[in-house]
Amino acid sequence: MHPPYRQDYVSISLTGQGSGGYNNSKQWRRQSCWRKWKQLSRLQRSLILFILLLLFICGIASYPTVTEHLRGLTDEEQDTDSNSVLKPVIPHVLPEPIKQDHPALPEQLSQRKLSNRRGPPVLQNRLQRKGNTSDTVAEDKPAGDQKEGEEEGVISWPGVVIDTEQATEGTKEKEDSPANPEAKSSKESVSRLEAVREAFRHAWKGYKDFAWGHDELRPISKSYSEWFGLGLTLIDALDTMWILGLKEEFEEAKAWVATELTFNKNVDVNLFESTIRILGGLLSTYHLTGDSMFLDKAKEIGSRLMPAFNTPSKIPYSDVNIGKGTAHPPRWTSDSTVAEVTSIQLEFRELSRLTQDPQYEAAVAEVMNQVHKLDGKLDGLVPMFINTNNGQFTHQGIYTLGARADSYYEYLLKQWIQGGKKENQLLEDYLQAIEGVKKNLLQTSSPNGLTFVGEVSHGQFSPKMDHLVCFLPGTLALGAHSGLAADHMDLAKQLMETCYQMYVQMETGLSPEIVHFNMHQGSTRDIDVKLADRHNLLRPETVESLFYMYRFTKDHKYQDWGWEILQNFNKYTKVSSGGYTSINNVRDPEYPSPRDKMESFFLGETLKYLYLLFSDDTNLISLDQYVFNTEAHPLPVWPSTA
């Protein structure tokens, strides 16, 4: 039962002088307080004591923090007094990788280091022509500010530990750099080249340990995936190992090709992917090494792919059974993609030249001739699909330089270069297409005016740009180097800046697969990324174009941009047990969400182009003597017969 209600009151008695007056003595006050305390119930007294005790404990706990804060304020006041001019903010410098001679990190780490966010993805200080003078500065987490059980330099996910140890040595280059800029550049170049070799060795270790002889490594589950069952990663990486000077790794891969690789398999392969990765890789390695074994293997796979061209229109089917000698379109359509049927020419033309068998070149030349004559283009821009029965474009009205059309434009220029710049039809189609890009697909973003290549769908422009489109700056630069209009190089520089911004405006410093650009006045950011487009597959297109841009301009900023990208690959995609993984979310540096797959082109293209980018040796795969296929396999420019 509750106690009976008792109304509290305050009583004031006014007495006369004779009664002794008001007593304000300390003793009287103590007695009055004690009397009031005794009037409280036991529950009330306990509650008051508990609150006082709690306040006392909180005060003790907060005392060091408060004093430290006050001390810091005092120090800041002193610094302000002694330095009346504000010091410049030091921009975030991406770190240099360390040598991997330390012991492997344990897989069982349960804690995850919180990565340094780059803050809101705002435009970096690269747009000098727009007067943007502000940089985004990352707040570095103090070295000691980590939870118990965490190891510095590690992002730990269930079943995987991704090594970010490279973040510990990012400023040593500046501290140790000599005063001579040329010596500094040389030292920096050697350091970066070695960093690429280390990245390759790490990726190769994962492939060798867990996926040897199979198509692709799954680094997190320490297993593999098969696409064709032909050792795609190994073949794709052959010429990369040769160029990087990794002779031991090359020799063990060569032994596998000589003794284990067989194409006599009842398996369907994609004509395009098999051509650019396997045929292209074998031809390239033959030219670099002079070993005829690789040419013999190239002849075999080339002949086994030829049934794809046995169609009513001579436009090849997408799939070939290399064991049965049969070919067919995909199950759901009779169409092939335009990019796939027009991006196998470099390889088959070279195979004919080496074997003196004209059937290969004749087959792919017929495809180019037909596409050249077709209606349905938009100022030289082609649709994405072509029918294998009637040889006509299908799904017309959609024009893009992204997936399913991209390398058509690349191979127009490169075939012209490969053949000694004599095939004018190829050049005319290329030049017309570039003008079509300028007229129909080129726009600028808001607020910073980034130049980008969008898409057109049935007359409507879309500000969507695939990362695949970032091949274009390099292709434009190659054309300008080969004697085409100088404004191609101007456009290349603008698009190169845009592709770089697709990286630096993401919190991980890695580009998503697809971006959308803002074009409305009043936009606060240039780039938006939809949730489904935030993955990164370790793609090469941006570093490919950086290589071309540096090779032709010698502007070191392109090397620096590539260095940042390599560091972020190391930070967010490197798996400690070996290999690198694609990630699902470039917007979340704390948990990028690994996809557990290392695409073969990471070794075949991405690391190769990074190595060539950091090299100052213009004779290392001279662009006057070689042309790269769309899988980064260098094939020779044909000698002039005139």
Side-chain angles (χ1 to χ4, degrees):
M1 293 199 36
H2 294 286
Y5 176 78
R6 183 176 54 139
Q7 184 175 1
D8 293 330
Y9 61 91
V10 176
S11 175
I12 301 177
S13 299
L14 298 176
T15 59
Q17 196 76 8
S19 63
Y22 174 62
N23 188 350
N24 194 30
S25 68
K26 291 183 180 179
Q27 181 179 2
W28 185 91
R29 287 201 303 270
R30 283 197 296 268
Q31 292 175 351
S32 176
C33 290
W34 178 249
R35 187 163 50 249
K36 290 183 180 297
W37 174 257
K38 295 294 289 183
Q39 290 175 353
L40 295 175
S41 68
R42 180 175 298 177
L43 177 62
Q44 289 173 322
R45 291 199 298 267
S46 299
L47 184 60
I48 292 173
L49 289 174
F50 175 76
I51 292 173
L52 291 174
L53 179 63
L54 186 63
L55 291 174
F56 178 73
I57 294 173
C58 291
I60 293 176
S62 63
Y63 177 75
T65 304
V66 173
T67 55
E68 183 178 348
H69 177 68
L70 293 174
R71 191 182 303 117
L73 291 176
T74 304
D75 293 341
E76 286 180 8
E77 291 175 0
Q78 293 175 353
D79 291 342
T80 305
D81 294 339
S82 61
N83 297 284
S84 58
V85 181
L86 291 176
K87 296 180 180 179
V89 176
I90 301 175
H92 180 63
V93 179
L94 287 169
E96 174 181 358
I98 64 172
K99 301 287 179 64
Q100 295 182 9
D101 52 1
H102 53 76
L105 294 171
E107 292 283 330
Q108 290 77 20
L109 289 178
S110 60
Q111 298 293 329
R112 180 172 80 244
K113 179 178 178 182
L114 298 181
S115 307
N116 294 328
R117 284 187 179 273
R118 293 184 164 217
V122 298
L123 189 64
Q124 301 297 301
N125 184 20
R126 300 291 184 185
L127 305 178
Q128 296 178 1
R129 60 186 176 85
K130 292 293 180 183
N132 181 10
T133 58
S134 62
D135 281 340
T136 299
V137 181
E139 296 182 0
D140 292 332
K141 182 177 180 180
D145 186 16
Q146 60 187 55
K147 297 179 181 178
E148 184 179 354
E150 288 182 340
E151 288 197 20
E152 187 172 3
V154 174
I155 297 177
S156 179
W157 298 326
V160 60
V161 179
I162 289 193
D163 190 354
T164 65
E165 191 76 13
Q166 291 77 9
T168 61
E169 298 195 358
T171 57
K172 286 188 178 180
E173 232 177 63
K174 286 194 172 182
E175 295 172 359
D176 299 337
S177 60
N180 187 337
E182 293 183 2
K184 175 187 175 183
S185 177
S186 177
K187 178 181 178 182
E188 193 175 68
S189 176
V190 171
S191 172
R192 291 176 174 182
L193 290 171
E194 184 56 34
V196 179
R197 290 193 190 97
E198 287 298 318
F200 187 97
R201 290 189 188 103
H202 185 80
W204 189 251
K205 176 185 181 298
Y207 178 75
K208 184 178 177 182
D209 289 348
F210 309 120
W212 183 252
H214 297 284
D215 283 342
E216 290 164 329
L217 169 66
R218 299 182 61 191
I220 295 174
S221 58
K222 299 181 181 178
S223 59
Y224 59 85
S225 61
E226 294 286 28
W227 193 2
F228 309 143
L230 298 175
L232 280 183
T233 294
L234 189 149
I235 297 175
D236 230 356
L238 284 168
D239 55 4
T240 304
M241 289 182 277
W242 185 268
I243 292 169
L244 269 59
L246 302 175
K247 296 299 189 287
E248 180 180 342
E249 292 84 353
F250 176 83
E251 288 300 327
E252 61 187 359
K254 172 185 170 182
W256 183 89
V257 173
T259 60
E260 301 293 331
L261 178 60
T262 176
F263 300 119
N264 187 22
K265 287 187 173 183
N266 180 18
V267 60
D268 281 354
V269 302
N270 179 271
L271 171 66
F272 167 71
E273 298 291 354
S274 299
T275 299
I276 65 172
R277 302 192 197 206
I278 300 176
L279 178 58
L282 292 170
L283 290 172
S284 171
T285 308
Y286 164 70
H287 281 295
L288 294 175
T289 66
D291 191 325
S292 60
M293 183 269 291
F294 296 108
L295 178 57
D296 293 338
K297 294 288 185 180
K299 292 177 186 176
E300 183 180 356
I301 186 62
S303 64
R304 288 178 180 272
L305 292 174
M306 287 303 290
F309 296 91
N310 295 332
T311 70
S313 65
K314 303 303 179 184
I315 300 297
Y317 290 129
S318 62
D319 297 292
V320 187
N321 188 302
I322 57 175
K324 294 181 178 179
T326 59
H328 58 87
R331 292 188 300 273
W332 56 90
T333 181
S334 59
D335 294 345
S336 290
T337 66
V338 172
E340 291 190 355
V341 302
T342 58
S343 303
I344 54 179
Q345 280 68 19
L346 290 177
E347 298 83 358
F348 278 99
R349 282 158 52 111
E350 179 61 15
L351 186 60
S352 276
R353 190 179 75 90
L354 292 173
T355 63
Q356 296 299 303
D357 186 344
Q359 66 166 325
Y360 308 112
E361 182 176 3
V364 295
E366 177 63 22
V367 176
M368 297 306 299
N369 288 332
Q370 289 198 41
V371 172
H372 171 74
K373 299 173 184 176
L374 282 178
D375 294 328
K377 298 177 185 176
L378 176 65
D379 299 317
L381 304 176
V382 296
M384 295 188 293
F385 297 97
I386 187 169
N387 189 271
T388 55
N389 292 324
N390 59 29
Q392 299 296 312
F393 289 134
T394 61
H395 301 85
Q396 296 190 37
I398 302 176
Y399 303 95
T400 175
L401 262 69
R404 301 188 176 93
D406 50 351
S407 47
Y408 161 73
Y409 306 100
E410 175 189 358
Y411 267 41
L412 286 174
L413 176 69
K414 289 183 174 180
Q415 287 178 80
W416 177 69
I417 295 173
Q418 180 191 45
K421 305 177 183 177
K422 299 175 182 178
E423 299 160 283
N424 290 333
Q425 176 179 299
L426 295 168
L427 177 60
E428 291 168 4
D429 287 349
Y430 174 74
L431 293 174
Q432 184 184 12
I434 297 304
E435 292 306 310
V437 170
K438 294 178 182 178
K439 179 180 178 181
N440 301 285
L441 304 183
L442 213 60
Q443 291 287 350
T444 56
S445 67
S446 178
N448 290 291
L450 295 174
T451 301
F452 69 93
V453 178
E455 299 180 355
V456 168
S457 178
H458 305 291
Q460 298 296 315
F461 181 82
S462 169
K464 168 181 174 286
M465 180 169 163
D466 295 0
H467 183 273
L468 289 168
V469 181
C470 288
F471 83 91
L472 187 57
T475 299
L476 288 167
L478 179 61
H481 173 75
S482 301
L484 303 186
D487 67 347
H488 285 204
M489 179 60 82
D490 297 334
L491 179 56
K493 291 178 180 179
Q494 296 173 35
L495 292 174
M496 191 75 263
E497 171 71 42
T498 301
C499 290
Y500 173 63
Q501 290 298 327
M502 289 166 62
Y503 282 77
V504 296
Q505 292 197 33
M506 300 301 112
E507 286 82 349
T508 59
L510 296 175
S511 173
E513 182 75 356
I514 299 170
V515 301
H516 287 76
F517 288 89
N518 287 316
M519 298 173 59
H520 304 291
Q521 294 299 322
S523 298
T524 58
R525 52 191 299 163
D526 294 81
I527 296 174
D528 285 329
V529 188
K530 295 182 178 180
L531 189 61
D533 301 332
R534 294 183 177 184
H535 50 289
N536 180 287
L537 304 181
L538 313 174
R539 284 198 184 277
E541 288 78 21
T542 293
V543 295
E544 170 188 356
S545 286
L546 288 173
F547 156 63
Y548 283 107
M549 297 302 292
Y550 177 70
R551 182 68 69 93
F552 296 139
T553 68
K554 295 303 177 186
D555 189 335
H556 288 279
K557 75 177 181 181
Y558 298 122
Q559 287 185 320
D560 295 338
W561 294 357
W563 180 240
E564 292 179 19
I565 293 171
L566 175 60
Q567 293 308 286
N568 288 319
F569 278 138
N570 279 330
K571 185 172 185 179
Y572 294 107
T573 73
K574 184 177 182 180
V575 181
S576 63
S577 56
Y580 290 74
T581 179
S582 303
I583 58 176
N584 279 315
N585 192 353
V586 299
R587 302 299 306 273
D588 187 353
E590 296 177 12
Y591 186 70
S593 181
R595 295 167 70 99
D596 193 19
K597 187 175 184 181
M598 185 177 76
E599 301 279 355
S600 78
F601 53 65
F602 182 67
L603 299 185
E605 299 186 72
T606 307
L607 292 181
K608 182 187 300 166
Y609 280 129
L610 282 167
Y611 188 84
L612 293 171
L613 167 64
F614 298 146
S615 173
D616 288 316
D617 182 2
T618 58
N619 292 319
L620 181 61
I621 314 298
S622 167
L623 293 175
D624 295 320
Q625 299 174 9
Y626 288 92
V627 60
F628 285 91
N629 84 338
T630 197
E631 191 73 9
H633 298 305
L635 301 173
V637 173
W638 297 348
S640 175
T641 57

